[in-house]
């Protein structure tokens, strides 16, 4: 999967695919070319430091996949954003969702608030952070 995938490209890939189709897409794109890895690798490039001035946070994503839960952390500190595939730091907020719903949320096909209200997204920790952090990243 290209490192230059835009949010619109991802939205087109996700489209109106079923959970089964998205799960297969995740399985088909594993390893160094994993669709999930590409998304997290791109987050620092999409980080809008001016929107998170004076903020620091460890945002953890627990993505439930057929082979188990994949945890990623997004660390925002000192005007920078880094990502890592781990759960080694204490998270300010943890977002828990399925692989298909993660792709839908990240691509804009599923609104985060609607996902939370419908039980497709669960949160642990600072809920206000979960709401405000959405503005910290370029959505285009």
């Amino acid at each position: 999967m290209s490192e230059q995938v835009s949010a619109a490209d991802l939205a087109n890939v996700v489209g109106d695919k079923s959970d089964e189709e998205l799960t297969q897409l995740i399985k088909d794109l594993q390893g160094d070319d994993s669709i999930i890895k590409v998304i997290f690798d791109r987050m620092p490039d999409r980080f809008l430091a001016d929107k998170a001035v004076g903020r620091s946070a460890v945002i953890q994503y627990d993505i439930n996949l057929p082979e188990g839960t994949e945890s990623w952390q997004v660390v925002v500190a000192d005007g920078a954003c880094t990502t890592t595939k781990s759960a080694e730091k204490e998270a300010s907020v943890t977002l828990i969702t399925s692989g298909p719903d993660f792709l839908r949320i990240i691509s804009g096909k599923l609104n985060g608030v609607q996902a939370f209200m419908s039980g497709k997204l669960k949160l642990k920790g600072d809920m206000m952070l979960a709401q405000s952090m959405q503005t910290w990243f370029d959505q285009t």
Side-chain angles (χ1 to χ4, degrees), residues 7-19 21-22 25 35 100 103-105 107-110:
D9 292 335
L10 183 59
N12 286 334
V13 168
V14 171
D16 293 325
K17 288 182 174 64
S18 69
D19 283 1
E21 290 171 312
L22 291 174
L25 176 69
I35 190 169
L103 293 179
R104 289 182 184 111
I105 292 165
S107 69
K109 289 294 198 174
L110 176 61

Side-chain angles (χ1 to χ4, degrees), residues 89-133:
K89 296 184 180 194
E90 184 176 340
S92 309
V93 65
T94 301
L95 294 84
I96 306 156
T97 191
S98 69
D101 286 330
F102 169 76
L103 293 179
R104 289 182 184 111
I105 292 165
I106 290 294
S107 69
K109 289 294 198 174
L110 176 61
N111 177 281
V113 173
Q114 290 173 335
F116 176 75
M117 297 302 278
S118 66
K120 292 181 178 189
L121 173 66
K122 294 178 176 41
L123 300 175
K124 286 187 203 172
D126 188 343
M127 290 193 173
M128 294 303 291
L129 172 62
Q131 188 172 5
S132 68
M133 69 171 207

Side-chain angles (χ1 to χ4, degrees), residues 27-95:
K27 282 183 181 180
D28 290 346
L29 299 172
Q30 291 185 346
D32 288 341
D33 218 18
S34 158
I35 190 169
I36 293 173
K37 181 183 182 310
V38 169
I39 289 167
F40 282 101
D41 285 351
R42 292 276 316 208
M43 279 188 179
D45 298 333
R46 303 183 77 72
F47 180 63
L48 303 170
D50 60 317
K51 303 287 185 184
V53 172
R55 301 294 307 264
S56 62
V58 176
I59 304 154
Q60 182 166 317
Y61 291 81
D62 286 346
I63 304 166
N64 297 317
L65 302 168
E67 43 297 326
T69 300
E70 193 169 297
S71 295
W72 285 82
Q73 288 189 333
V74 177
V75 179
V76 174
D78 302 320
C81 171
T82 58
T83 63
T84 185
K85 184 178 179 182
S86 74
E88 57 192 44
K89 296 184 180 194
E90 184 176 340
S92 309
V93 65
T94 301
L95 294 84

